[in-house]
Amino acid sequence: MSLLVVGSVALDSVETPFGQKEDVLGGSATYFSTSASFFTPARIVAVVGEDFPEAHVSFLKGRGIDLEGLTRVPGRTFRWKGRYGYELNEAKTLDTQLNVFQTFSPELPAAYRDTPYVFLGNIHPELQARVVDQVRSPKLVAADTMNFWIQGSREALLKTLQRVNLLFVNDAEARQLAGEHNVVKAARAILGMGPQRVVIKRGEYGALLFEKDHVFACPAFPLAEVFDPTGAGDTFAGGFMGALATATSDIDSTVLRRAMVMGSVMASFTVEKFSLERLREVTHPEIRARFAEFRKLTHFDDLGPLER
Amino acid sequence: MSLLVVGSVALDSVETPFGQKEDVLGGSATYFSTSASFFTPARIVAVVGEDFPEAHVSFLKGRGIDLEGLTRVPGRTFRWKGRYGYELNEAKTLDTQLNVFQTFSPELPAAYRDTPYVFLGNIHPELQARVVDQVRSPKLVAADTMNFWIQGSREALLKTLQRVNLLFVNDAEARQLAGEHNVVKAARAILGMGPQRVVIKRGEYGALLFEKDHVFACPAFPLAEVFDPTGAGDTFAGGFMGALATATSDIDSTVLRRAMVMGSVMASFTVEKFSLERLREVTHPEIRARFAEFRKLTHFDDLGPLER
């Protein structure tokens, strides 16, 4: 089933301890849709400027992504510049130029309005709500957010959360949103704000999925070389939602767990190279093989007798 | 099969955001042996002073722990005082009084020398080596260590590691020991120092087991109330080694995975209350039930078809 993402398409400049790149393809909608496109038809609502390279448009088209909702307007494309230290868990933002993204107001093409799976990338919660206004009886609406909105637009965010079925946040955001240090308590508090599920992303430590009566823990894939963590969270969400959209049964715990692992699988590829370089080349057999690796990484046998 | 631990028996004073306790039972050998005693007969080599309460001795005896190697000498028992903030991941040490522990030199009773499973608690690496000198063909020697020895007694530690089959460290210690920031690279470097296995403990994020050709990731149990993390690492090691000692087959990846989970199960109980309070009351059915919870927490189904 098809999948809609609303978010940023950007040009990123990134410095890591292992190298640097200028004006490479980035943005939440880009990572999300590319990741999801391995599993399900994806659709973008986003905006770029006149300077956005046609080669990037071709790449997204080549991945089968529906770009009817990608508008090109006068001005420059959204630019983000960040630097990672050896910790690699959090970027230091060096520069943000919103450019054409500043006046972005998501308008869904008529053909998008019946999309069953909707991902609201990290934009102003009022814009996220405006997207929900435009879709007709979606099967699942998921959203991302960040400290900036949690602090600065809390009321709007809480309103939007009432209309969201699943929230993706990192652990610091979860704590801030809930006003609870303990991550389990924070998750429960968020489940009381509207979403029936919350995914708490913890970078190199993996991710937790909380539902009312279930918790699922998925580790991050232990990689000896993490090159560039940019986009890992959106790639995770794309793999997660993409896997969800392929499910032939109801969205139950079984389906959600597989989605968690697929999110982790896709994120583990993204961080292996700069920008979307690894996602450009990764294959379905590689994805399947890494999914199998995750089972080896996490599964164990039933308990035998406990002697004394 | 029996299990020997050499380490500290202490009186701890602990402050957490949830309360404080003075001179409660603590020490690496105490947590380790109590945790292990749920699975296998445990033996202690440690020292206490004249002030060590007889009630604590009775408790350990009551758990079936062999105390022939627990000597009582003139002077005061080792005391540690620490404080945790809301992070709960690392204690701030407020005071350490080594007392009788300062001149501790582990001497194994004759009956201990054939113990098949040996755990070298966090003491000077030369003392750890002296323990290995005294055991005859053990099945497995495991060790703990800390930043103090990694930095201050590196040569002695590297010598001891040559005689150790399994090392327990936290992630900061692993990085420091290996001189590698990436945890996978750090683990590989440690495997090159002697041990065939290394367990990297990551507090609330769980633990990783590295062997030459396998990695296993076990999450920490998501608890809404973490009361006092003191002793979690030694409880983990005790549950791990205790489960290992009950294995009827060779120490292979299957057995080690189960040990990892049992270590996590036992640690998850310890942190629920102060000192060893939770370990005093926990039951085998509770342990089995939490082990089963870990399977629910981590397991997921095979990948079905990936549509596009």
Side-chain angles (χ1 to χ4, degrees):
Chain A
M1 283 200 251
S2 65
L3 178 52
L4 166 66
V5 53
V6 180
S8 61
V9 171
L11 296 174
D12 289 346
S13 295
V14 181
E15 292 176 41
T16 82
F18 315 110
Q20 64 179 85
K21 291 274 176 182
E22 297 277 326
D23 285 344
V24 291
L25 182 58
S28 61
T30 315
Y31 281 103
F32 182 95
S33 61
T34 303
S35 177
S37 71
F38 285 87
F39 312 106
T40 202
R43 298 164 166 172
I44 284 185
V45 172
V47 63
V48 294
E50 296 154 318
D51 58 348
F52 190 70
E54 197 52 43
H56 295 338
V57 176
S58 301
F59 161 67
L60 295 170
K61 260 193 200 140
R63 292 254 15 114
I65 298 164
D66 183 340
L67 300 180
E68 192 188 339
L70 179 71
T71 47
R72 192 187 281 271
V73 301
R76 275 160 62 85
T77 300
F78 174 40
R79 276 171 166 75
W80 176 80
K81 187 173 186 170
R83 180 191 292 149
Y84 297 88
Y86 278 97
E87 285 294 338
L88 289 170
N89 246 354
E90 203 171 355
K92 182 179 156 72
T93 292
L94 301 175
D95 190 29
T96 305
Q97 296 174 19
L98 290 176
N99 300 330
V100 298
F101 199 55
Q102 185 138 30
T103 52
F104 175 57
S105 177
E107 295 298 329
L108 271 55
Y112 282 20
R113 291 178 188 245
D114 290 311
T115 314
Y117 291 88
V118 178
F119 178 70
L120 310 169
N122 175 21
I123 56 177
H124 193 295
E126 282 173 8
L127 295 184
Q128 292 181 321
R130 212 170 298 168
V131 175
V132 185
D133 289 340
Q134 295 174 64
V135 288
R136 277 187 288 258
S137 57
K139 237 173 117 80
L140 187 120
V141 176
D144 185 18
T145 192
M146 72 184 291
N147 52 3
F148 186 73
W149 312 120
I150 294 170
Q151 201 184 343
S153 307
R154 187 173 178 85
E155 285 313 306
L157 178 59
L158 291 176
K159 259 185 157 173
T160 297
L161 286 182
Q162 298 278 352
R163 308 174 70 188
V164 161
N165 305 113
L166 192 155
L167 181 67
F168 293 94
V169 275
N170 68 34
D171 40 6
E173 291 158 357
R175 289 177 172 128
Q176 188 187 11
L177 176 57
E180 284 282 0
H181 187 85
N182 178 283
V183 79
V184 178
K185 283 188 185 162
R188 285 184 193 154
I190 293 168
L191 292 180
M193 294 175 186
Q196 294 87 52
R197 291 110 185 183
V198 56
V199 173
I200 298 185
K201 300 173 288 176
R202 309 201 281 182
E204 66 164 311
Y205 302 114
L208 294 169
L209 165 73
F210 289 88
E211 300 175 86
K212 187 167 172 288
D213 300 310
H214 297 280
V215 191
F216 176 65
C218 184
F221 197 69
L223 292 167
E225 308 279 353
V226 175
F227 208 75
D228 174 12
T230 308
D234 292 305
T235 307
F236 177 96
F240 182 105
M241 295 283 286
L244 220 57
T246 66
T248 47
S249 61
D250 282 349
I251 301 174
D252 61 8
S253 187
T254 303
V255 168
L256 286 164
R257 281 158 185 258
R258 217 152 42 192
M260 284 284 286
V261 178
M262 195 52 90
S264 306
V265 164
M266 297 310 288
S268 77
F269 286 120
T270 287
V271 302
E272 288 181 337
K273 294 197 172 178
F274 268 122
S275 180
L276 285 91
E277 283 173 25
R278 188 70 178 92
L279 288 187
R280 282 176 193 269
E281 65 190 23
V282 72
T283 62
H284 275 103
E286 284 179 305
I287 292 169
R288 287 197 163 274
R290 190 156 289 179
F291 190 98
E293 287 291 323
F294 265 89
R295 276 177 68 94
K296 286 193 204 157
L297 177 65
T298 55
H299 281 220
F300 55 90
D301 285 359
D302 261 327
L303 192 56
L306 292 175
E307 295 167 27
R308 264 258 11 204
Chain B
M1 284 200 251
S2 64
L3 177 51
L4 166 65
V5 53
V6 180
S8 61
V9 172
L11 296 174
D12 288 346
S13 295
V14 181
E15 292 174 40
T16 80
F18 315 109
Q20 64 179 86
K21 291 273 177 183
E22 295 279 326
D23 285 345
V24 291
L25 182 59
S28 60
T30 314
Y31 281 105
F32 182 94
S33 62
T34 302
S35 177
S37 72
F38 284 87
F39 312 106
T40 201
R43 298 163 166 173
I44 282 185
V45 172
V47 64
V48 293
E50 295 153 319
D51 58 347
F52 189 71
E54 196 54 43
H56 294 338
V57 176
S58 301
F59 163 65
L60 295 170
K61 260 193 201 138
R63 292 253 18 114
I65 297 165
D66 184 341
L67 300 180
E68 192 188 339
L70 179 70
T71 48
R72 193 188 279 274
V73 301
R76 276 160 62 83
T77 300
F78 174 41
R79 275 171 168 75
W80 175 80
K81 187 173 186 171
R83 181 191 292 149
Y84 297 88
Y86 279 97
E87 284 293 336
L88 289 171
N89 246 353
E90 200 171 357
K92 182 179 155 74
T93 292
L94 301 174
D95 190 29
T96 305
Q97 296 173 19
L98 289 176
N99 299 329
V100 299
F101 198 56
Q102 184 138 30
T103 53
F104 175 58
S105 178
E107 295 297 331
L108 272 54
Y112 282 20
R113 292 179 188 245
D114 289 312
T115 313
Y117 290 88
V118 178
F119 178 69
L120 310 169
N122 175 22
I123 55 177
H124 193 294
E126 282 173 6
L127 296 183
Q128 291 180 322
R130 214 171 294 168
V131 175
V132 185
D133 289 340
Q134 295 174 66
V135 288
R136 276 187 291 258
S137 57
K139 238 173 116 79
L140 186 120
V141 176
D144 185 18
T145 193
M146 71 184 292
N147 52 4
F148 186 73
W149 312 121
I150 295 169
Q151 201 184 342
S153 305
R154 188 175 177 83
E155 285 312 306
L157 177 60
L158 291 176
K159 260 184 155 172
T160 298
L161 285 181
Q162 296 279 350
R163 307 174 70 188
V164 161
N165 305 113
L166 190 154
L167 182 67
F168 293 95
V169 276
N170 68 34
D171 42 6
E173 291 158 357
R175 288 179 172 127
Q176 188 187 12
L177 176 57
E180 283 282 359
H181 187 84
N182 178 283
V183 79
V184 178
K185 283 188 184 164
R188 284 184 194 156
I190 293 169
L191 293 180
M193 294 175 186
Q196 293 88 52
R197 289 109 184 182
V198 57
V199 173
I200 298 185
K201 299 173 291 178
R202 308 201 280 183
E204 67 165 309
Y205 301 114
L208 295 169
L209 165 73
F210 288 90
E211 302 175 86
K212 188 167 171 287
D213 300 313
H214 298 280
V215 190
F216 176 65
C218 185
F221 197 68
L223 292 167
E225 307 280 352
V226 175
F227 208 75
D228 174 12
T230 309
D234 292 304
T235 306
F236 177 96
F240 182 105
M241 294 284 286
L244 220 56
T246 66
T248 47
S249 60
D250 284 348
I251 301 174
D252 60 8
S253 186
T254 302
V255 168
L256 286 164
R257 281 157 185 259
R258 218 152 40 194
M260 284 283 286
V261 179
M262 195 52 91
S264 306
V265 164
M266 298 308 289
S268 77
F269 286 119
T270 287
V271 303
E272 287 181 337
K273 294 196 173 181
F274 268 122
S275 180
L276 285 90
E277 283 173 26
R278 189 68 179 94
L279 288 187
R280 283 177 193 268
E281 64 189 24
V282 73
T283 62
H284 275 102
E286 284 180 305
I287 292 169
R288 286 196 164 276
R290 190 154 291 178
F291 191 97
E293 287 290 325
F294 266 90
R295 278 176 67 94
K296 285 192 205 157
L297 178 64
T298 55
H299 281 220
F300 54 90
D301 285 0
D302 262 330
L303 193 56
L306 293 175
E307 295 167 29
R308 262 260 10 207

